[in-house]
Amino acid sequence: MDAPARVLVADDEEDIRHLVALAVGTAGCTVVAAVADGAQALTVARAERPDLVVLDVSMPEATGLEVCLALRADPATADCQVLLLSAGASPDDVARGLATGADAYLPKPFTVAGLVRQVQLLTAEHRA
Amino acid sequence: MTATADPVARATGPAHRTGVAGLGAAAAAAAGVLALVVRPALPLVLLAGAVVLLAVADLTWRLHRQQTAARVLEAQRLDLFSQRQSTADELEVATRMLRARAETMTSVIDAVTEQSIIGTDRDGLVRVWNPGAERMLGLPRADVVRTRSIIDFHAPEELTPEELDAGGGTPFATLVQVAREQGSDVRDWTYLTADGRRLTVSVAITPRTDDDGEQTGWNFVGTDMTEVRATERLKDQFVSLISHELRTPLSSILGYLELVLDDPEQPLTDDQRQYLGTVERNAQRLLRLVGDLLFTAQVDAGRFTLQPAEVDLADIVRSAEESARVTATARGVAMSVDVPDGGLVVSGDALRLGQACDNLVSNAVKFTPAGGRVALRLQTAWRDADGALVDVPAAGATPVALLSVSDTGVGIPNSEQGRLFTSFFRASTARRNAVPGVGLGLTITKAITTAHGGTLDVVSAEGRGTTFTLALPLPA
């Protein structure tokens, strides 16, 4: 049996980080790290090369959008899946998020079941 | 001129000639009588007397004619004098009126101190500079009129090279380009003041014309919007911040609630489930409020966009009824739905139309006491040339999808119906009956309807009920 997909979680809200980590676990994946800002997210992503990075858009040091752009620009991390979470729920917010090269965008508040589905969907290739 | 010639002609007419001939005849007759009674040595004397008489008569006639002509000329002189006087009077009146009008215009322009009124010639040289412009830009009229171009007071970066090309090569041509093409132009420009401040000014640009309608230049009427725009930006930032700060904790509340409610390994008691259900319901209510506030801010800022597609309104109406059914049942309100079997498809944003329909239906349920009814009806109707909605197509009428949501609720007083679609307005009947809400639902519904090219109308009688009618254009 293949090793579970490895997921990096980045959100400056501890409660949300924990909730996302729980959802990732429910989706059958492993959390490689749960960090609180964009700079840490980029450092860990480059070191760990996770299969999926779950990024909050609004974070200190570097926003989720900036982190996503940096991941896509770096050949070492360009292929990882990126899921953006954000309190911005307007069509413009979603379009801006996806324009950075993210694979999916989930507005807050999200349902745990919905987040689990998204994580499974984005790690399906790994599981296959 | 005929009038002046006629009297002379009349004075020398047949009647006068007859009079003179009469005198001549009388002289001749007198000479004849003398010739009969005086001896033959006297004829020459008599003849001379007759000639004298004739000459006197002729002179008398000439004098009479000259006097007549003189009187006529005097009359003409008086007439001309009178006409000249009258013309002079009229001219004076007209001059006074023009002066008064100019003074009125000047005084009105000078009385405007909160708006800048700047008039230029066709090349942008300032010709009019009111106290409002002095106040706003910090320069007296004497330092500007006929010496400065209005371009001197505009931020140069707003008249960029690209825009210069489109505007005909000069910054001023760019400034007036839209007004030249469309007759007028209102937009924000950045004015530069004498003390180096940058002001955001809403400027209305219109052509300036003379009495013959010939364009002589341009008018620029400006309102300082610097503080207003700053407040708007602050409001946007505030709404964005509130949105983030409320949505994030709501994510935690709803997410963890979901984990607890759906955990099969640790089932809840009925009481626990009911309590947590109340928590969830109120968290969802908060979430809707945040969404409504954000949406209202977007509408106010003109950033409200639609994602149009083909939408079956029948599905949307049925879905709205389904969402409201639980609450309606709990409140003892009966609901009915009447939609076309084949559906009714419009072009629109499904999410927003659903939101509008949900608002109308949930309002109807909220405002209807137990034992009441809420009826949803969707049909095709027509909008006639006068804009009225009719059931039967007429010449020039266009088809519309008509959704009516009727209730037998508390109703809305007549005096308040005009303010129903204003943000945060709540009818007195809503406050009296403690119906929850913040007064954004109808504002949002109206904005969505208008953005779809439709109309939203209300008919209501206090204590008897309300019907909202939403009409959306259908393909012809």
Side-chain angles (χ1 to χ4, degrees), chain B residues 31-47:
Chain B
V33 170
L34 285 173
L36 291 175
V37 297
V38 181
R39 284 181 301 183
L42 290 177
L44 281 176
V45 175
L46 291 173
L47 188 61

Side-chain angles (χ1 to χ4, degrees), chain B residues 228-397:
Chain B
V228 174
R229 298 289 182 254
T231 306
E232 286 171 354
R233 278 195 299 275
L234 202 63
K235 181 183 159 195
D236 282 353
Q237 289 166 3
F238 176 73
V239 168
S240 174
L241 183 74
I242 287 294
S243 163
H244 182 265
E245 292 307 310
L246 287 178
R247 277 174 180 273
T248 301
L250 279 170
S251 293
S252 289
I253 294 169
L254 289 166
Y256 286 103
L257 268 176
E258 187 184 344
L259 289 178
V260 174
L261 287 165
D262 296 346
D263 188 351
E265 292 173 9
Q266 300 177 64
L268 301 171
T269 66
D270 287 346
D271 283 348
Q272 287 170 329
R273 187 166 291 279
Q274 186 188 342
Y275 301 155
L276 290 179
T278 304
V279 173
E280 187 183 29
R281 201 170 56 250
N282 282 281
Q284 291 289 0
R285 186 175 154 195
L286 262 180
L287 187 61
R288 276 196 301 276
L289 176 59
V290 172
D292 284 354
L293 280 170
L294 260 180
F295 185 73
T296 307
Q298 284 172 354
V299 170
D300 288 349
R303 291 202 308 265
F304 163 39
T305 52
L306 296 176
Q307 297 186 313
E310 286 201 341
V311 182
D312 186 352
L313 278 182
D315 285 345
I316 284 181
V317 173
R318 278 191 287 260
S319 172
E321 187 269 340
E322 202 175 307
S323 300
R325 196 187 302 150
V326 175
T327 311
T329 304
R331 292 175 57 89
V333 174
M335 293 190 76
S336 65
V337 180
D338 178 9
V339 297
D341 291 336
L344 194 48
V345 176
V346 298
S347 172
D349 186 318
L351 188 70
R352 294 304 178 196
L353 288 175
Q355 188 180 5
C357 193
D358 281 345
N359 281 344
L360 293 179
V361 177
S362 65
N363 264 0
V365 171
K366 260 195 323 189
F367 285 92
T368 303
R373 293 186 317 279
V374 170
L376 282 60
R377 186 174 185 216
L378 179 66
Q379 63 182 116
T380 300
W382 283 264
R383 191 182 295 284
D384 70 16
D386 297 329
L389 294 168
V390 291
D391 289 335
V392 183

